[in-house]
Every structure is written in structure tokens, then in C-alpha cells.
Amino acid sequence: MANFEIEGLAELQKKLDRLLALFASVAQDAMTEAVLVLEDAVAQRTPVAWGNLRGSITHKVTETPAEVTGLVGTSVSYAPAVEEGTAPHWPPLQPLVEWVHKLKLAGTYSVRSRQRAGGRARQQAEDVAVARAISAKIARSGTQDAYMFRDGLAASAPEILAIFDRAVDKLLDQL
């Protein structure tokens, strides 16, 4: 059995390690910038009543030795229904009543004081009546899609591609 030694192998390994570390750093920075751009584009397109859905949109960047992955999403359970709309169904009434009240969709308001007319019982009855009408409409037609994720990605794609183009240029400059 012959023994042989490769000169410079240890130095080559160090250079490769530095190259991989450089690639990981540049890729992670680019991915972080890209998901922030996408997160902002999605949030801008998200319908708001309470702000819970818009406020829940967040990002995550993970790195393995093989790849850097970016994710923009939400943990809010009703997000898919807002994104894609829904088929006709009877929604729960109470959240609609609260939504009607919050958006001031029912009742009579003073132009000067902007106060709602009527006592609490009358206001509640007006809110429930409008919520029932909305519920019936949803039962007939479903809900409209918002496509905030789909459209946010489409709108931000050119900027995201530019971010990764700059990352490649940066990597090549440092090589």
C-alpha cells in the first residue's frame, strides 16, 4: 500500500470553510431582507377590522448547511378564509355583531358629535339586525377573497429578485 500526501489540502479546506461561511452570511442577509419586503407587501394588502390578522403576519428565516429558507405567514386560524374567500356558509353571529359595532355599520350618528343615537338596547338590536343581514349574504354567496399573500408576493417579486441579484454580486465581489 502506497502512502501519499496532498500538499495544501488543509489550506484548501480552510478556504472552502470561509467560502461556505461567506455564502451563508450573504444568503441569510438576502433572505431576511426579502421576507421583510414580502411581509410588508402582504400586510399592506390584508383587510383590517380589528387588526389581529394584519398584526399576526410575520416572517422566519432558517438555515441549514444546504439551504437558507424564508417563510412569511400567520398563525391566525381564519387567514385561509380571508386569503381565498369561502363558499356559502352560516357564520357565527356574535363575531359579526362585534364587527358591525366596531365599524359603525348600524345605527344613526350625529353629524356634529359623531355619537350614536339611541340607548344600549336599541344599538344592540340594530347591530344584530345588520349582522344577521350580513350572515344571510354570506350564507348565499360566501365571502370575497383578499389574496393578500398571493398578490403581495406578485407585487414584491421584482424587488425580491433584485435583492438576490445584489447578493450574488456581493458574493462574487468578495470571491
Side-chain angles (χ1 to χ4, degrees):
M1 181 189 300
N3 288 333
F4 60 93
E5 183 179 316
I6 300 174
E7 288 186 32
L9 185 59
E11 186 178 319
L12 178 61
Q13 183 63 46
K14 286 179 187 176
K15 287 181 180 180
L16 286 173
D17 289 344
R18 284 195 306 268
L19 177 63
L20 289 174
L22 174 64
F23 174 77
S25 172
V26 170
Q28 180 142 15
D29 290 349
M31 184 61 75
T32 300
E33 186 180 352
V35 295
L36 287 171
V37 166
L38 178 56
E39 180 181 322
D40 183 56
V42 171
Q44 288 178 22
R45 289 164 175 76
T46 302
V48 175
W50 306 104
N52 295 339
L53 179 56
R54 181 178 283 179
S56 73
I57 296 170
T58 188
H59 69 277
K60 181 178 179 181
V61 176
T62 56
E63 181 183 347
T64 68
E67 65 186 8
V68 176
T69 304
L71 175 71
V72 173
T74 176
S75 61
V76 172
S77 62
Y78 58 87
V82 176
E83 173 75 10
E84 299 172 350
T86 63
H89 67 285
W90 284 99
L93 191 61
Q94 188 56 37
L96 284 176
V97 171
E98 293 170 10
W99 184 72
V100 165
H101 185 77
K102 166 94 170 150
L103 296 182
K104 300 178 179 180
L105 299 177
T108 305
Y109 291 83
S110 167
V111 175
R112 190 173 353 151
S113 70
R114 297 186 180 172
Q115 295 295 318
R116 187 170 176 183
R120 182 175 229 161
R122 176 180 162 191
Q123 291 177 9
Q124 180 69 16
E126 291 169 345
D127 290 344
V128 169
V130 171
R132 285 198 174 140
I134 293 169
S135 181
K137 168 74 166 83
I138 293 170
R140 283 191 312 276
S141 308
T143 60
Q144 178 68 38
D145 51 56
Y147 288 125
M148 63 273 189
F149 284 93
R150 182 196 70 185
D151 295 348
L153 179 58
S156 60
E159 187 174 353
I160 291 170
L161 290 173
I163 289 167
F164 285 105
D165 282 344
R166 288 192 303 272
V168 168
D169 291 344
K170 181 178 180 179
L171 189 60
L172 292 174
D173 287 347
Q174 293 188 19
L175 291 178

PDB file of all heavy atoms in Angstrom, residues 25-35 160 163-164 167:
ATOM      1  N   SER A  25     -23.671  33.711   5.150  1.00  0.00           N
ATOM      2  CA  SER A  25     -23.930  35.058   5.648  1.00  0.00           C
ATOM      3  C   SER A  25     -24.659  35.908   4.616  1.00  0.00           C
ATOM      4  O   SER A  25     -25.661  36.566   4.925  1.00  0.00           O
ATOM      5  CB  SER A  25     -22.605  35.719   6.034  1.00  0.00           C
ATOM      6  OG  SER A  25     -22.814  37.073   6.351  1.00  0.00           O
ATOM      7  N   VAL A  26     -24.182  35.897   3.385  1.00  0.00           N
ATOM      8  CA  VAL A  26     -24.802  36.685   2.316  1.00  0.00           C
ATOM      9  C   VAL A  26     -26.209  36.170   2.031  1.00  0.00           C
ATOM     10  O   VAL A  26     -27.150  36.950   1.885  1.00  0.00           O
ATOM     11  CB  VAL A  26     -23.927  36.668   1.039  1.00  0.00           C
ATOM     12  CG1 VAL A  26     -24.668  37.261  -0.149  1.00  0.00           C
ATOM     13  CG2 VAL A  26     -22.620  37.417   1.286  1.00  0.00           C
ATOM     14  N   ALA A  27     -26.374  34.844   1.988  1.00  0.00           N
ATOM     15  CA  ALA A  27     -27.692  34.258   1.715  1.00  0.00           C
ATOM     16  C   ALA A  27     -28.677  34.576   2.836  1.00  0.00           C
ATOM     17  O   ALA A  27     -29.835  34.919   2.574  1.00  0.00           O
ATOM     18  CB  ALA A  27     -27.572  32.750   1.526  1.00  0.00           C
ATOM     19  N   GLN A  28     -28.239  34.497   4.073  1.00  0.00           N
ATOM     20  CA  GLN A  28     -29.129  34.794   5.200  1.00  0.00           C
ATOM     21  C   GLN A  28     -29.531  36.269   5.208  1.00  0.00           C
ATOM     22  O   GLN A  28     -30.692  36.599   5.429  1.00  0.00           O
ATOM     23  CB  GLN A  28     -28.487  34.415   6.527  1.00  0.00           C
ATOM     24  CG  GLN A  28     -29.409  34.710   7.693  1.00  0.00           C
ATOM     25  CD  GLN A  28     -29.349  33.662   8.768  1.00  0.00           C
ATOM     26  OE1 GLN A  28     -28.463  32.851   8.812  1.00  0.00           O
ATOM     27  NE2 GLN A  28     -30.329  33.689   9.640  1.00  0.00           N
ATOM     28  N   ASP A  29     -28.576  37.151   4.946  1.00  0.00           N
ATOM     29  CA  ASP A  29     -28.901  38.585   4.890  1.00  0.00           C
ATOM     30  C   ASP A  29     -29.907  38.871   3.778  1.00  0.00           C
ATOM     31  O   ASP A  29     -30.867  39.621   3.980  1.00  0.00           O
ATOM     32  CB  ASP A  29     -27.638  39.421   4.671  1.00  0.00           C
ATOM     33  CG  ASP A  29     -26.716  39.442   5.878  1.00  0.00           C
ATOM     34  OD1 ASP A  29     -27.135  38.985   6.965  1.00  0.00           O
ATOM     35  OD2 ASP A  29     -25.568  39.912   5.721  1.00  0.00           O
ATOM     36  N   ALA A  30     -29.695  38.274   2.609  1.00  0.00           N
ATOM     37  CA  ALA A  30     -30.603  38.491   1.479  1.00  0.00           C
ATOM     38  C   ALA A  30     -31.989  37.924   1.774  1.00  0.00           C
ATOM     39  O   ALA A  30     -33.008  38.567   1.485  1.00  0.00           O
ATOM     40  CB  ALA A  30     -30.028  37.867   0.205  1.00  0.00           C
ATOM     41  N   MET A  31     -32.039  36.738   2.353  1.00  0.00           N
ATOM     42  CA  MET A  31     -33.328  36.126   2.659  1.00  0.00           C
ATOM     43  C   MET A  31     -34.083  36.949   3.705  1.00  0.00           C
ATOM     44  O   MET A  31     -35.302  37.149   3.587  1.00  0.00           O
ATOM     45  CB  MET A  31     -33.148  34.688   3.151  1.00  0.00           C
ATOM     46  CG  MET A  31     -34.466  33.969   3.388  1.00  0.00           C
ATOM     47  SD  MET A  31     -35.497  33.812   1.907  1.00  0.00           S
ATOM     48  CE  MET A  31     -34.612  32.512   1.054  1.00  0.00           C
ATOM     49  N   THR A  32     -33.369  37.439   4.705  1.00  0.00           N
ATOM     50  CA  THR A  32     -34.013  38.270   5.729  1.00  0.00           C
ATOM     51  C   THR A  32     -34.591  39.531   5.105  1.00  0.00           C
ATOM     52  O   THR A  32     -35.736  39.910   5.383  1.00  0.00           O
ATOM     53  CB  THR A  32     -33.015  38.614   6.855  1.00  0.00           C
ATOM     54  OG1 THR A  32     -32.570  37.395   7.454  1.00  0.00           O
ATOM     55  CG2 THR A  32     -33.648  39.505   7.900  1.00  0.00           C
ATOM     56  N   GLU A  33     -33.832  40.177   4.245  1.00  0.00           N
ATOM     57  CA  GLU A  33     -34.331  41.377   3.564  1.00  0.00           C
ATOM     58  C   GLU A  33     -35.540  41.034   2.688  1.00  0.00           C
ATOM     59  O   GLU A  33     -36.534  41.767   2.674  1.00  0.00           O
ATOM     60  CB  GLU A  33     -33.216  41.997   2.720  1.00  0.00           C
ATOM     61  CG  GLU A  33     -33.603  43.318   2.090  1.00  0.00           C
ATOM     62  CD  GLU A  33     -32.484  43.936   1.260  1.00  0.00           C
ATOM     63  OE1 GLU A  33     -31.338  43.436   1.269  1.00  0.00           O
ATOM     64  OE2 GLU A  33     -32.782  44.937   0.566  1.00  0.00           O
ATOM     65  N   ALA A  34     -35.477  39.910   1.994  1.00  0.00           N
ATOM     66  CA  ALA A  34     -36.572  39.509   1.107  1.00  0.00           C
ATOM     67  C   ALA A  34     -37.859  39.221   1.867  1.00  0.00           C
ATOM     68  O   ALA A  34     -38.940  39.657   1.461  1.00  0.00           O
ATOM     69  CB  ALA A  34     -36.156  38.286   0.287  1.00  0.00           C
ATOM     70  N   VAL A  35     -37.775  38.496   2.981  1.00  0.00           N
ATOM     71  CA  VAL A  35     -39.001  38.184   3.724  1.00  0.00           C
ATOM     72  C   VAL A  35     -39.581  39.433   4.384  1.00  0.00           C
ATOM     73  O   VAL A  35     -40.803  39.532   4.538  1.00  0.00           O
ATOM     74  CB  VAL A  35     -38.816  37.032   4.751  1.00  0.00           C
ATOM     75  CG1 VAL A  35     -38.503  35.723   4.054  1.00  0.00           C
ATOM     76  CG2 VAL A  35     -37.782  37.363   5.800  1.00  0.00           C
ATOM     77  N   ILE A 160     -37.732  41.442  -4.651  1.00  0.00           N
ATOM     78  CA  ILE A 160     -37.085  40.272  -4.062  1.00  0.00           C
ATOM     79  C   ILE A 160     -36.014  39.720  -4.993  1.00  0.00           C
ATOM     80  O   ILE A 160     -34.905  39.390  -4.555  1.00  0.00           O
ATOM     81  CB  ILE A 160     -38.142  39.205  -3.697  1.00  0.00           C
ATOM     82  CG1 ILE A 160     -38.991  39.710  -2.524  1.00  0.00           C
ATOM     83  CG2 ILE A 160     -37.481  37.866  -3.363  1.00  0.00           C
ATOM     84  CD1 ILE A 160     -40.214  38.853  -2.218  1.00  0.00           C
ATOM     85  N   ILE A 163     -33.010  41.844  -4.769  1.00  0.00           N
ATOM     86  CA  ILE A 163     -32.260  41.585  -3.530  1.00  0.00           C
ATOM     87  C   ILE A 163     -31.303  40.411  -3.738  1.00  0.00           C
ATOM     88  O   ILE A 163     -30.129  40.479  -3.363  1.00  0.00           O
ATOM     89  CB  ILE A 163     -33.228  41.300  -2.365  1.00  0.00           C
ATOM     90  CG1 ILE A 163     -33.968  42.572  -1.959  1.00  0.00           C
ATOM     91  CG2 ILE A 163     -32.493  40.677  -1.161  1.00  0.00           C
ATOM     92  CD1 ILE A 163     -35.154  42.346  -1.033  1.00  0.00           C
ATOM     93  N   PHE A 164     -31.798  39.341  -4.349  1.00  0.00           N
ATOM     94  CA  PHE A 164     -30.939  38.175  -4.552  1.00  0.00           C
ATOM     95  C   PHE A 164     -29.898  38.417  -5.651  1.00  0.00           C
ATOM     96  O   PHE A 164     -28.784  37.892  -5.566  1.00  0.00           O
ATOM     97  CB  PHE A 164     -31.778  36.925  -4.815  1.00  0.00           C
ATOM     98  CG  PHE A 164     -32.423  36.408  -3.565  1.00  0.00           C
ATOM     99  CD1 PHE A 164     -33.773  36.591  -3.331  1.00  0.00           C
ATOM    100  CD2 PHE A 164     -31.672  35.781  -2.582  1.00  0.00           C
ATOM    101  CE1 PHE A 164     -34.369  36.142  -2.155  1.00  0.00           C
ATOM    102  CE2 PHE A 164     -32.246  35.336  -1.399  1.00  0.00           C
ATOM    103  CZ  PHE A 164     -33.604  35.517  -1.184  1.00  0.00           C
ATOM    104  N   ALA A 167     -27.208  40.113  -3.879  1.00  0.00           N
ATOM    105  CA  ALA A 167     -26.492  39.156  -3.026  1.00  0.00           C
ATOM    106  C   ALA A 167     -25.478  38.361  -3.844  1.00  0.00           C
ATOM    107  O   ALA A 167     -24.349  38.136  -3.392  1.00  0.00           O
ATOM    108  CB  ALA A 167     -27.482  38.219  -2.337  1.00  0.00           C
TER     109      ALA A 167
END
